């Protein structure tokens, strides 16, 4: 099983993800010498194109999406690429593909196609003999739109590939700062003793975006914020924050612990979720249209979700996890806030000083930093009373590691696929636990005919989202 692939077969090679992420990541890996010299990349999509036309296409994508200083000798990279046009819905074409791939003993496949094409593609690959032996497959989201459809996809894939050959992508797991969360928790002794309900009052996870629909009209309107971001990325972040220490940084150990958290998520109640849809407004100083206008029709799809979740286990008993995600919010920020409890007794109270509880903010993007607020004494003789103030202990990751290249999440994930390391890929039981929890929420919405509340683009969502936290005395961390 543990071989380094010498063939990478890329489905959906002309798509948006391929242009923006996959080709640039592969080129950057090539430039930095991470790809074995014999690795060939067979690109495929429906469009009729010759290999040299595809190389032109790839060059244009690299010039657009990969910074010049990361491109290296592009011609050498482009020489690795061959193109074969395949209509994934018909069995023809796979034989030609198999001939182009040649020896499949070192093959890794990456499917970045519409989910409806997964099944026919896998059947085609199987008939052409391209799923045999140790061949690995990487699957890009969306893996279904609910538990049933995700099980259907998983079943279809399982007919041709055993679970240890399936690499389900959640690109958040490829982000350096997300992995740093594990280092923070499990490479330091300080946090683990207080990382539980005895010391943590609540946790917030925010993934805020300034973008709107972009060009993904059809996909997004069928999906909505809950399925697009919460089901995958946000639940993975939650699992990493809440999981027990795994015994090692190995695929089975890490994924066993994550799935326990996902299964311990308490089914939500109706009043614990708020949904919203943006109206016209201004984001980062620019006027933007409302969702309906961008879409060109009325819709009940949510572009914002805020929720209060619970992980029902000993460690997190009674600790709310506030999750918030939306499009067209005032700024792009992904962060995790761990709010600690108050000290049990203040020795300074008699001197008029007030203390505030500690707070840890883990910035994932765009700022990569870790900030711990601690109480400190304000200097002075304090004749009118002693004064205390929270001061931040700040670690800006780019400053701490100045000479290190910041990599695209897909660089790591593609390399791990090529080398066969599943640690940062999502296992079937995780995906299914995620869908089960999400389906329950969607069921509540359907039962109660819930419609998203309006919010102006450039605001932090509907006021009900603020109220959701404030009724517990909690303020979202917006500064
Ligand atoms: C994708 C979603 O999975 O993640 C998009 O489909 C979203 O809607 C994107 O914009 C966000 O990714 P990142 O890496 O920019 O935070």
């Amino acid at each position: 099983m543990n071989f380094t692939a010498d063939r990478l077969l890329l489905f959906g090679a002309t798509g948006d993800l391929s242009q923006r992420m996959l080709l640039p990541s592969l080129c950057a890996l090539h430039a930095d010498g991470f790809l074995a010299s014999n690795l060939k990349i067979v690109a495929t999509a429906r469009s009729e194109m010759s290999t040299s036309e595809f190389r032109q296409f790839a060059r244009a994508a690299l010039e657009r999406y990969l910074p010049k200083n990361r491109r290296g000798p592009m011609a050498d990279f482009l020489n690795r690429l061959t193109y074969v046009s395949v209509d994934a819905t018909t069995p023809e074409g796979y034989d030609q593909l198999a001939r182009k791939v040649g020896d499949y003993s070192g093959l890794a496949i990456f499917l970045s196609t519409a989910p409806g094409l997964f099944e026919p593609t896998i059947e085609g690959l199987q008939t052409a003999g391209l799923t045999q032996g140790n061949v690995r497959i990487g699957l890009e989201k969306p893996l279904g739109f609910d538990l049933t459809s995700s099980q259907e996809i998983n079943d279809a894939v399982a007919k041709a590939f055993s679970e240890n050959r399936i690499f389900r992508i959640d690109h958040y797991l490829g982000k350096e700062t997300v992995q740093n969360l594990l280092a923070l928790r499990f490479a330091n002794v300080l946090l683990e003793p207080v990382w539980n309900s005895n010391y943590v009052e609540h946790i917030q996870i925010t993934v805020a975006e300034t973008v709107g629909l972009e060009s993904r009209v059809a996909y997004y309107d069928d999906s909505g914020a809950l399925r697009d971001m919460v089901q995958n990325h946000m639940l993975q972040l939650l699992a990493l924050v809440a999981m027990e220490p795994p015994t090692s940084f190995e695929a089975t150990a890490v994924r066993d612990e994550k799935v326990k958290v996902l299964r311990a998520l308490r089914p939500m109640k109706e009043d614990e979720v708020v949904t919203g849809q943006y109206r016209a407004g201004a984001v980062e100083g620019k006027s933007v249209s409302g969702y309906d206008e961008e879409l060109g029709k009325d819709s009940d799809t949510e572009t914002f979700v805020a929720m209060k979740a619970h992980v029902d286990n000993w460690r997190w008993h009674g600790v709310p996890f506030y999750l918030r995600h939306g499009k067209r919010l005032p700024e792009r920020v992904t962060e995790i806030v761990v709010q600690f409890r108050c000290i049990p007794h203040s020795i300074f109270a008699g001197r008029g000083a007030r203390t505030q509880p500690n707070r840890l903010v883990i910035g994932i993007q765009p700022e990569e930093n870790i900030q711990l607020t601690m109480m400190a004494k304000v200097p002075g003789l304090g004749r009118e009373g002693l004064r205390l103030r929270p001061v931040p202990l700040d670690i800006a990751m780019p400053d701490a590691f100045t000479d290190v290249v910041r990599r695209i999440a897909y660089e790591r994930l593609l390399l791990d696929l090529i080398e066969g390391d599943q640690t940062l890929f999502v296992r079937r039981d995780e995906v299914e636990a995620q869908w089960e929890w999400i389906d329950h929420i969607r069921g509540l919405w359907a039962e109660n005919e819930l419609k998203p509340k309006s919010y102006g683009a450039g605001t932090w969502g509907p006021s009900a989202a603020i109220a959701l936290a404030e009724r517990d005395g909690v303020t979202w961390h917006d500064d």
Side-chain angles (χ1 to χ4, degrees), residues 247-268:
T247 49
S248 65
F249 191 46
E250 296 297 334
T252 304
V254 172
R255 301 189 303 174
D256 281 353
E257 295 308 336
K258 280 194 293 167
V259 78
K260 283 190 215 160
V261 173
L262 296 166
R263 288 189 179 138
L265 281 167
R266 184 188 302 169
M268 299 284 287

Side-chain angles (χ1 to χ4, degrees), residues 177-304:
T177 33
V178 171
Q179 291 156 51
N180 197 31
L181 188 57
L182 295 179
L184 185 71
R185 284 198 59 195
F186 303 125
N188 295 295
V189 78
L190 289 178
L191 292 176
E192 184 51 23
V194 294
W195 206 260
N196 55 53
S197 62
N198 294 332
Y199 295 95
V200 175
E201 200 259 333
H202 74 262
I203 290 181
Q204 297 182 20
I205 304 179
T206 294
V207 181
E209 296 189 285
T210 52
V211 292
L213 258 182
E214 297 178 286
S215 53
R216 305 151 79 219
V217 178
Y219 157 75
Y220 194 86
D221 199 52
D222 284 345
S223 166
L226 186 71
R227 291 197 273 220
D228 183 50
M229 291 294 285
V230 182
Q231 184 273 337
N232 38 51
H233 312 318
M234 293 192 75
L235 289 187
Q236 283 291 319
L237 289 179
L238 185 150
L240 294 174
V241 170
M243 73 183 186
E244 296 301 313
T247 49
S248 65
F249 191 46
E250 296 297 334
T252 304
V254 172
R255 301 189 303 174
D256 281 353
E257 295 308 336
K258 280 194 293 167
V259 78
K260 283 190 215 160
V261 173
L262 296 166
R263 288 189 179 138
L265 281 167
R266 184 188 302 169
M268 299 284 287
K269 297 204 199 93
E270 193 198 336
D271 62 353
E272 291 170 327
V273 197
V274 172
T275 61
Q277 189 189 83
Y278 62 82
R279 297 279 165 263
V283 179
E284 292 170 328
K286 284 200 203 110
S287 310
V288 296
S289 318
Y291 181 80
D292 283 2
E293 296 152 76
E294 265 185 77
L295 190 66
K297 59 172 187 184
D298 285 352
S299 161
D300 288 335
T301 299
E302 80 289 354
T303 61
F304 176 95

Side-chain angles (χ1 to χ4, degrees), residues 20-21 140-141 170-172 175 207-209 211-212 214 216 219-220 228-229 232-233 325 327 332 334 365 409-410:
R20 285 189 302 114
M21 298 288 169
E140 184 50 64
K141 74 170 261 248
D170 184 311
H171 79 277
Y172 267 52
K175 290 182 192 274
V207 181
E209 296 189 285
V211 292
E214 297 178 286
R216 305 151 79 219
Y219 157 75
Y220 194 86
D228 183 50
M229 291 294 285
N232 38 51
H233 312 318
H325 159 66
K327 299 242 183 239
R332 176 172 184 250
T334 300
Q365 60 187 21
Y410 281 92

